[in-house]
């Protein structure tokens, strides 16, 4: 999302609000540290999702994408996979009315053909009920792989497609002009992307925190966004102050 606040003369992002993406890591360790089953960590993780969604608009977030289940998470024990799906479904059922009245629009990203039918119908129900909302776009990534999304965006292209056509197809399908991530947060201490929003994060700022996802509080989001706002985002350009006319020293003109 292009927004436009100014800092130290550098034009940086966002006229309509930030796109924050979160890799919600650490649920399992949070539970294990307390002698609880991993599913209890995911349950506590849902409470953190609820808090984050409620407070995100207060901090200037217009789009929030959370990684709930990656395509590689199918490798987990079936009971854990089922508990995550059950929790996402319960969250949607319980929160639907609150999301609707708070102006939150829900959208799921990722494959829809492998997830349980009950979860899929709940997703579609909440997507349809909240479709007109504009205050916050909540995107939940379920059975999501960024590499797959990139491959699928190119799937319909003819073999003769030029790099320019491939680029246009990717821009249209993945970013659609407003999908770029401004700030990507990963909790749980690891510093990797895990196949999440690879294309959309080309110019994202990254915030890695050791905080386990169930412990993540609105104040942590606020702090991450404040740190983000203090950064210079140049998008490959130079600071505005450096683009003044060349410097004349003696007979030589120097580029600054
Ligand atoms: C990663 O922690 C977390 C997940 C794979 C699941 C995330 C799911 C939720 C927070 C619940 C449902 C979400 C929504 C949107 C309602 P991990 O299990 O890999 O933790 P670990 O690294 O400590 O083992």
């Amino acid at each position: 999302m292009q927004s436009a606040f100014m800092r130290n003369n550098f034009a940086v992002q966002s006229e309509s609000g930030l796109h924050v993406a979160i890799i919600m890591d650490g649920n399992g360790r949070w539970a294990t540290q307390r002698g609880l089953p991993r599913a209890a960590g995911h349950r506590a993780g849902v409470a953190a999702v609820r808090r984050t969604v409620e407070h995100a608009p207060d901090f200037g977030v217009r789009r929030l994408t959370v990684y709930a289940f990656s395509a590689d998470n199918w490798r987990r024990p079936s009971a854990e996979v089922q508990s995550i799906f059950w929790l996402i479904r319960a969250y949607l059922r319980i929160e639907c009315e609150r999301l609707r009245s708070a102006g939150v629009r829900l959208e799921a990203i990722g494959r829809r053909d492998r997830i349980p039918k009950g979860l899929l119908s709940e997703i579609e129900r909440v997507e349809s009920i909240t479709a007109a909302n504009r205050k916050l776009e909540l995107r939940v990534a379920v059975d999501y792989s960024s590499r797959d999304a990139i491959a699928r965006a190119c799937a319909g292209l003819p073999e003769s497609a030029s790099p320019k056509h491939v680029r246009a197809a990717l821009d249209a399908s993945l970013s659609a002009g407003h999908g770029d991530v401004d700030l990507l947060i990963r909790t749980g201490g690891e510093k990797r992307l895990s196949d999440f929003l690879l294309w959309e994060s080309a110019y994202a700022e990254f915030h890695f925190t050791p905080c386990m996802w169930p412990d993540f509080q609105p104040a942590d989001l606020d702090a991450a966004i404040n740190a983000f706002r203090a950064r210079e985002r140049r998008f490959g350009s130079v600071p505005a102050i450096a683009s003044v006319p060349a410097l004349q020293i003696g007979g030589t003109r120097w580029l600054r």
Side-chain angles (χ1 to χ4, degrees):
M1 287 189 181
Q2 294 302 306
S3 85
F5 55 90
M6 301 287 287
R7 194 187 76 83
N8 296 345
N9 292 331
F10 306 137
V12 285
Q13 292 233 337
S14 283
E15 84 209 13
S16 56
L18 298 175
H19 180 186
V20 174
I22 307 182
I23 301 175
M24 309 180 288
D25 197 13
N27 294 348
R29 278 166 288 162
W30 181 92
T32 306
Q33 284 160 9
R34 288 161 178 78
L36 297 169
R38 292 178 58 85
H42 297 313
R43 178 186 281 269
V46 173
V49 171
R50 195 176 291 125
R51 293 192 293 270
T52 304
V53 170
E54 187 184 337
H55 290 277
D58 302 340
F59 307 134
V61 179
R62 249 317 272 297
R63 175 179 282 196
L64 178 68
T65 307
V66 292
Y67 209 3
F69 188 84
S70 82
D72 289 325
N73 287 152
W74 288 106
R75 296 180 184 152
R76 295 188 179 210
S78 160
E80 181 170 345
V81 169
Q82 295 316 314
S83 78
I84 294 173
F85 289 151
W86 188 90
L87 284 165
I88 300 171
R89 185 178 173 186
Y91 168 83
L92 293 173
R93 199 173 50 234
I94 293 164
E95 291 296 302
C96 180
E97 176 47 30
R98 204 197 306 234
L99 295 175
R100 192 200 59 75
S101 60
V104 179
R105 174 184 180 179
L106 178 101
E107 187 196 357
I109 58 169
R111 285 181 66 160
R112 296 189 176 213
D113 57 324
R114 300 193 295 191
I115 59 175
K117 286 199 166 46
L119 172 58
L120 179 61
S121 59
E122 196 60 42
I123 286 172
E124 289 175 350
R125 189 179 77 84
V126 181
E127 281 180 335
S128 132
I129 288 172
T130 62
N133 282 350
R134 290 292 176 267
K135 188 168 178 189
L136 175 72
E137 193 179 333
L138 171 62
R139 302 197 313 164
V140 179
V142 184
D143 197 3
Y144 176 84
S145 155
S146 187
R147 286 176 166 178
D148 282 359
I150 291 168
R152 254 181 284 118
C154 299
L157 292 170
E159 255 178 57
S160 58
S162 68
K164 203 171 129 190
H165 286 119
V166 175
R167 176 70 197 257
L170 285 164
D171 277 337
S173 167
L174 300 174
S175 302
H178 55 268
D180 281 0
V181 173
D182 294 310
L183 170 64
L184 189 140
I185 298 171
R186 181 171 187 143
T187 60
E190 310 291 354
K191 297 184 176 71
R192 53 178 173 253
L193 279 180
S194 302
D195 202 8
F196 189 46
L197 301 175
L198 304 178
W199 179 269
E200 295 86 342
S201 298
Y203 278 100
E205 300 287 329
F206 292 90
H207 181 91
F208 298 105
T209 168
C211 173
M212 300 294 155
W213 175 248
D215 290 329
F216 194 79
Q217 299 296 327
D220 297 313
L221 178 63
D222 191 23
I225 290 174
N226 282 333
F228 161 83
R229 291 198 195 281
R231 294 183 193 171
E232 284 171 17
R233 302 190 77 197
R234 298 183 191 169
F235 302 99
S237 185
V238 291
I241 202 157
S243 57
V244 294
L247 190 65
Q248 183 86 30
I249 301 177
T252 310
R253 281 168 63 78
W254 295 88
L255 290 176
R256 297 205 218 204

